[in-house]
Amino acid sequence: MNILDTSLVELVNWSRAQFALTAIYHWFFVPLTIGLSFILAICETIYVKTGNENWAKITRYWMQLFAINFAIGVATGIVLEFEFGTNWANYSWIAGDIFGAPLAIEGIMAFFLESTFIGVMLFGWNKISKKMHLLATWLVAIGSNLSAYWILVANAWMNNPVGTKFNPDMARNEMTSFFEIAFSPFAINKFLHTVSSCYLVSALFVLGVSSWYLLKNRNVEFAKKSILIGSIFGLFASILIIITGHSSAQLIAEKQPMKLAAMEGLYNGKKGADLIVFGVLKDRSQLNNDADSDPFIFKISIPKLLSFLAFEDFNSFVPGINDILYGNKEHNIKPITEKIEKGKIAISALQQYREALKASNKQKMDEMRKVLNENYKYIGYGYFKNIEHLIPNVFLVFYSFHIMVALGFYFVLVFIVALWLLKKNSLQNKKLLLRLFVFNIFLGFIASQLGWVVAEVGRQPWVIQDILPVFKATSHLSVKMVQTTFFIFLILFTILLLAEIKILLHKIRKTTIELN
Amino acid sequence: MSEVISLTFLQNYWWVIISILGSFLIFLMYIQGGQTLIYTIGKNEEELNLLINALGRKWELTFTTLVTFGGAFYASFPLFYATILSGAYWLWIITLIVFVLQAVSYEFRNKANNLLGKKTYEYFLFFNGLIASLFLGIIIGSFFTGNDFYINENNLPKWNNHLHGLENILCIENLIMGITLFFLSRTNGALFFVYSIDNTNIVKNSLKQTKINGLISCISFILFLILIFLRKGYEYNNDYIYLRENKYFLNFIEMPITLVFLLSGLFLLIYSILKTSGKNVDKLFLISGLATILLVFSLFLNLGFNNTCYFPSYADVKSSLNIRNSSSSYFTLSVLSIASLILPFVLWYIIRAWKLITKVSSSDTLENNDY
């Protein structure tokens, strides 16, 4: 299969577009489900512990907004799960032995827990004891977070395919260690980083809605209490994001150096690499392989910090895109053409193995299996002719990463300021700040979405890192079919998103909560 | 572990798990059946609200079971997952769309400022009920009648028919199975209303609907059985796959336990329909539910065991999928089997939670979180 085959390129692009569309819409709703569920649990715990009815009112208010948002998150989630089969059938077979397990376990262990107890949580207020209801609320929170864990285990494996071995008899990857997959540092880190971003989005949501009430001088006591809970929760989440963001970068530096180079716009690697705080990239056509050329029109950077953050050594070498593509003898980085050659050997060995298997030629099978095993970790590279196809979209990844990081640090400040002004009892008077807090709801979603852009666009062109490129993973469908379903989902999800926003806004505007 | 439990055992075990999940999924589609009856049974706004509230507290369970059924199939038989979803593309995409509509409809319908209006969300519920039950029935029917695909030399699936699944609607056996599932879901849906709602009119109308829909579902199911019993089925012997006359009928004879499940299911279904004229009608839903589980379970066992190809290809017989050539590896199935041990616990807490929130009365509809 040639990547330059136009219809294949179109099919791959539309399949990616459809999956990205579904994922983006899914991620408008899921962060609120995951984060709000904990905020609900915390508020209700205070209620049960203190017996103060005010906290019951606060819990019920946020629970109503949670319920409006929950359903559409679930609805977009089911489409994502089935799209692995409908649009990525080749991937589903090649990786299904590993990838399916976390999805099944998610259903059995987490999703049932979440969806069973959400009914009890929403409808059980006056039917079961306070403690039983609190238990149901906590189980919803635990279920939604557990659900995220298994999905992120599956996603982490695509970025870092551990605990697996290729079986040439079946022409697929097979699981060899469940624990390596489920508890890989990649998976743990991805989970912590992602769920903390959900907590952050939810905290910004609580802060923003409550700030709106303060601006309107309505539900003031309720708003202050909500801001207190939301800001403490958000501050904790922000700090967790920074810590896990740093460890994420270290893992990426080790396992996905091309992604890190794209995140930092680093074309030519160097010892003691600078961390770009702010930068404007030149047009790609202006870039070349000249080690002296600077890819930035303008930049503000901190000397040597990237080297330190990536490898905990201010003088360590961080490879750039050109080093990865063309090699760097000084730092023992081989050119990518070597990987491509080895990949071709692996592909050829696999084909010959399959033919030998058909002919029951055991000697040939043994011979080819050995060649395949020696070169398998490069097999994905064997499908590429043009090495530039191995570079992700640097502009998109660079800007997404930097905006996300900037917003992340900004949010820490937001929560500190909110808590400080709340303590001084002067928050209600800061109209401009309150307006900014309302706007921060939008910024929270943007930051969270950009995180996924960095993660997913940054790992292109791989669906399984180094093993399976995206253009070998799609289903055998016509471009028109995928285009049609893309637009159907675009229209459907957009309408439903608008409906949800309208309902939420109306609910927020019309609700009056009298605290004692 | 390999010395104690063989790959064959694990493949069989996972087919049984899939069959159980599939049977529960079809039983839980009483939600879909109920959704198609809301205008038939609900004669005024209050009754309509009661009906939708009763269903709205349970829809997540059907949804979750579908997700788990899909996930379990993916994990245990990935070649099937890749083949059917990419192949019968349109059937699945349409099914997914109506499930998306269902999920939001319960939550948005009764909310102010909901963009599309209350009625639209009610129509969405109706369409979900109609399409989901009909299409899932057609898909199950196609497990018996076969599909137009082949598996290439690298075990990658390709569908030949450009209609990508819609061609299955034109097959009479599949269509009858779809109709069966539609009316069976309505029967269970009507009995669920009797079971969960304290309202005389609703109970009276639901019992009437049970009789009509139950009768049609029984007749169409028996017709489906006759048609598939007369068909050739796909049988395998190691790697060799061939056609066998009356395969599905002989499977029931050669696996008597499946015949017991089938006949018990049929008996219980007919019993639950006939007893609607009696006095203690509250619990008939549980009997018809058990009947549905037994019927679907017997069909899945018939499809997966006795050397049967559960997903036959009429385009290329040797591409037909069975539980031996489409499963995950020994290691993965072992891991999944350990994870499956918590299923009884999951079932336990679902039943506990179910009991807490099932009954719906008129006063409940005044609560804030109503649908």
Side-chain angles (χ1 to χ4, degrees), chain B residues 104-117:
Chain B
V104 295
S105 295
Y106 280 114
E107 209 52 65
F108 290 180
R109 172 187 169 264
N110 227 5
K111 300 285 186 295
N113 221 19
N114 65 14
L115 188 73
L116 302 174

PDB file of all heavy atoms in Angstrom, chain B residues 104-117:
ATOM      1  N   VAL B 104     -29.784  11.429  25.342  1.00  0.00           N
ATOM      2  CA  VAL B 104     -30.044  12.830  25.666  1.00  0.00           C
ATOM      3  C   VAL B 104     -31.532  13.097  25.878  1.00  0.00           C
ATOM      4  O   VAL B 104     -31.892  14.005  26.623  1.00  0.00           O
ATOM      5  CB  VAL B 104     -29.496  13.797  24.590  1.00  0.00           C
ATOM      6  CG1 VAL B 104     -27.988  13.725  24.523  1.00  0.00           C
ATOM      7  CG2 VAL B 104     -30.112  13.555  23.245  1.00  0.00           C
ATOM      8  N   SER B 105     -32.366  12.303  25.217  1.00  0.00           N
ATOM      9  CA  SER B 105     -33.808  12.597  25.269  1.00  0.00           C
ATOM     10  C   SER B 105     -34.363  12.513  26.677  1.00  0.00           C
ATOM     11  O   SER B 105     -35.170  13.354  27.087  1.00  0.00           O
ATOM     12  CB  SER B 105     -34.580  11.646  24.348  1.00  0.00           C
ATOM     13  OG  SER B 105     -34.203  11.889  23.030  1.00  0.00           O
ATOM     14  N   TYR B 106     -33.956  11.479  27.422  1.00  0.00           N
ATOM     15  CA  TYR B 106     -34.470  11.362  28.789  1.00  0.00           C
ATOM     16  C   TYR B 106     -34.079  12.583  29.620  1.00  0.00           C
ATOM     17  O   TYR B 106     -34.859  13.084  30.411  1.00  0.00           O
ATOM     18  CB  TYR B 106     -33.938  10.087  29.452  1.00  0.00           C
ATOM     19  CG  TYR B 106     -34.703   8.862  29.030  1.00  0.00           C
ATOM     20  CD1 TYR B 106     -34.111   7.861  28.278  1.00  0.00           C
ATOM     21  CD2 TYR B 106     -36.042   8.710  29.376  1.00  0.00           C
ATOM     22  CE1 TYR B 106     -34.816   6.737  27.884  1.00  0.00           C
ATOM     23  CE2 TYR B 106     -36.768   7.591  28.987  1.00  0.00           C
ATOM     24  CZ  TYR B 106     -36.141   6.604  28.243  1.00  0.00           C
ATOM     25  OH  TYR B 106     -36.855   5.510  27.844  1.00  0.00           O
ATOM     26  N   GLU B 107     -32.832  13.034  29.422  1.00  0.00           N
ATOM     27  CA  GLU B 107     -32.340  14.125  30.240  1.00  0.00           C
ATOM     28  C   GLU B 107     -32.876  15.488  29.792  1.00  0.00           C
ATOM     29  O   GLU B 107     -33.150  16.359  30.595  1.00  0.00           O
ATOM     30  CB  GLU B 107     -30.806  14.102  30.220  1.00  0.00           C
ATOM     31  CG  GLU B 107     -30.159  14.645  31.448  1.00  0.00           C
ATOM     32  CD  GLU B 107     -30.703  14.002  32.725  1.00  0.00           C
ATOM     33  OE1 GLU B 107     -30.521  12.790  32.931  1.00  0.00           O
ATOM     34  OE2 GLU B 107     -31.336  14.743  33.491  1.00  0.00           O
ATOM     35  N   PHE B 108     -33.038  15.660  28.487  1.00  0.00           N
ATOM     36  CA  PHE B 108     -33.392  16.987  27.960  1.00  0.00           C
ATOM     37  C   PHE B 108     -34.899  17.221  27.847  1.00  0.00           C
ATOM     38  O   PHE B 108     -35.344  18.356  27.869  1.00  0.00           O
ATOM     39  CB  PHE B 108     -32.782  17.185  26.562  1.00  0.00           C
ATOM     40  CG  PHE B 108     -31.273  17.332  26.561  1.00  0.00           C
ATOM     41  CD1 PHE B 108     -30.574  17.511  25.367  1.00  0.00           C
ATOM     42  CD2 PHE B 108     -30.550  17.303  27.742  1.00  0.00           C
ATOM     43  CE1 PHE B 108     -29.191  17.641  25.364  1.00  0.00           C
ATOM     44  CE2 PHE B 108     -29.167  17.420  27.752  1.00  0.00           C
ATOM     45  CZ  PHE B 108     -28.495  17.602  26.549  1.00  0.00           C
ATOM     46  N   ARG B 109     -35.649  16.145  27.660  1.00  0.00           N
ATOM     47  CA  ARG B 109     -37.073  16.263  27.318  1.00  0.00           C
ATOM     48  C   ARG B 109     -37.825  17.253  28.208  1.00  0.00           C
ATOM     49  O   ARG B 109     -38.510  18.144  27.710  1.00  0.00           O
ATOM     50  CB  ARG B 109     -37.719  14.880  27.419  1.00  0.00           C
ATOM     51  CG  ARG B 109     -39.230  14.881  27.291  1.00  0.00           C
ATOM     52  CD  ARG B 109     -39.811  13.507  27.579  1.00  0.00           C
ATOM     53  NE  ARG B 109     -41.248  13.596  27.692  1.00  0.00           N
ATOM     54  CZ  ARG B 109     -41.894  13.716  28.847  1.00  0.00           C
ATOM     55  NH1 ARG B 109     -41.220  13.767  29.985  1.00  0.00           N
ATOM     56  NH2 ARG B 109     -43.206  13.794  28.879  1.00  0.00           N
ATOM     57  N   ASN B 110     -37.706  17.082  29.487  1.00  0.00           N
ATOM     58  CA  ASN B 110     -38.541  17.851  30.403  1.00  0.00           C
ATOM     59  C   ASN B 110     -37.890  19.149  30.871  1.00  0.00           C
ATOM     60  O   ASN B 110     -38.422  19.831  31.730  1.00  0.00           O
ATOM     61  CB  ASN B 110     -38.894  16.988  31.625  1.00  0.00           C
ATOM     62  CG  ASN B 110     -40.369  17.066  31.934  1.00  0.00           C
ATOM     63  OD1 ASN B 110     -41.132  17.693  31.175  1.00  0.00           O
ATOM     64  ND2 ASN B 110     -40.776  16.462  33.027  1.00  0.00           N
ATOM     65  N   LYS B 111     -36.727  19.458  30.300  1.00  0.00           N
ATOM     66  CA  LYS B 111     -36.009  20.649  30.745  1.00  0.00           C
ATOM     67  C   LYS B 111     -36.459  21.870  29.938  1.00  0.00           C
ATOM     68  O   LYS B 111     -36.703  21.763  28.729  1.00  0.00           O
ATOM     69  CB  LYS B 111     -34.500  20.467  30.570  1.00  0.00           C
ATOM     70  CG  LYS B 111     -33.925  19.300  31.344  1.00  0.00           C
ATOM     71  CD  LYS B 111     -33.825  19.599  32.826  1.00  0.00           C
ATOM     72  CE  LYS B 111     -33.110  18.515  33.618  1.00  0.00           C
ATOM     73  NZ  LYS B 111     -33.770  17.209  33.672  1.00  0.00           N
ATOM     74  N   ALA B 112     -36.540  22.994  30.639  1.00  0.00           N
ATOM     75  CA  ALA B 112     -36.912  24.231  29.948  1.00  0.00           C
ATOM     76  C   ALA B 112     -35.798  24.651  29.003  1.00  0.00           C
ATOM     77  O   ALA B 112     -34.625  24.353  29.254  1.00  0.00           O
ATOM     78  CB  ALA B 112     -37.144  25.317  30.999  1.00  0.00           C
ATOM     79  N   ASN B 113     -36.174  25.305  27.905  1.00  0.00           N
ATOM     80  CA  ASN B 113     -35.187  25.857  26.974  1.00  0.00           C
ATOM     81  C   ASN B 113     -34.341  24.777  26.307  1.00  0.00           C
ATOM     82  O   ASN B 113     -33.142  24.951  26.092  1.00  0.00           O
ATOM     83  CB  ASN B 113     -34.264  26.815  27.742  1.00  0.00           C
ATOM     84  CG  ASN B 113     -33.966  28.050  26.939  1.00  0.00           C
ATOM     85  OD1 ASN B 113     -34.688  28.366  25.996  1.00  0.00           O
ATOM     86  ND2 ASN B 113     -32.902  28.748  27.274  1.00  0.00           N
ATOM     87  N   ASN B 114     -34.973  23.656  25.975  1.00  0.00           N
ATOM     88  CA  ASN B 114     -34.198  22.500  25.493  1.00  0.00           C
ATOM     89  C   ASN B 114     -33.958  22.493  23.981  1.00  0.00           C
ATOM     90  O   ASN B 114     -33.622  21.466  23.397  1.00  0.00           O
ATOM     91  CB  ASN B 114     -34.824  21.186  25.963  1.00  0.00           C
ATOM     92  CG  ASN B 114     -36.204  20.963  25.371  1.00  0.00           C
ATOM     93  OD1 ASN B 114     -36.599  21.640  24.411  1.00  0.00           O
ATOM     94  ND2 ASN B 114     -36.942  20.024  25.922  1.00  0.00           N
ATOM     95  N   LEU B 115     -34.132  23.553  23.316  1.00  0.00           N
ATOM     96  CA  LEU B 115     -33.820  23.797  21.900  1.00  0.00           C
ATOM     97  C   LEU B 115     -34.792  23.152  20.914  1.00  0.00           C
ATOM     98  O   LEU B 115     -35.267  23.809  19.997  1.00  0.00           O
ATOM     99  CB  LEU B 115     -32.387  23.362  21.569  1.00  0.00           C
ATOM    100  CG  LEU B 115     -31.868  23.721  20.177  1.00  0.00           C
ATOM    101  CD1 LEU B 115     -31.591  25.211  20.072  1.00  0.00           C
ATOM    102  CD2 LEU B 115     -30.562  22.966  19.865  1.00  0.00           C
ATOM    103  N   LEU B 116     -35.058  21.843  21.095  1.00  0.00           N
ATOM    104  CA  LEU B 116     -35.859  21.136  20.090  1.00  0.00           C
ATOM    105  C   LEU B 116     -37.317  20.927  20.499  1.00  0.00           C
ATOM    106  O   LEU B 116     -38.119  20.509  19.673  1.00  0.00           O
ATOM    107  CB  LEU B 116     -35.221  19.777  19.783  1.00  0.00           C
ATOM    108  CG  LEU B 116     -33.767  19.839  19.283  1.00  0.00           C
ATOM    109  CD1 LEU B 116     -33.193  18.429  19.145  1.00  0.00           C
ATOM    110  CD2 LEU B 116     -33.675  20.552  17.935  1.00  0.00           C
ATOM    111  N   GLY B 117     -37.615  21.187  21.740  1.00  0.00           N
ATOM    112  CA  GLY B 117     -39.003  21.008  22.208  1.00  0.00           C
ATOM    113  C   GLY B 117     -39.231  19.603  22.731  1.00  0.00           C
ATOM    114  O   GLY B 117     -38.607  18.637  22.273  1.00  0.00           O
TER     115      GLY B 117
END
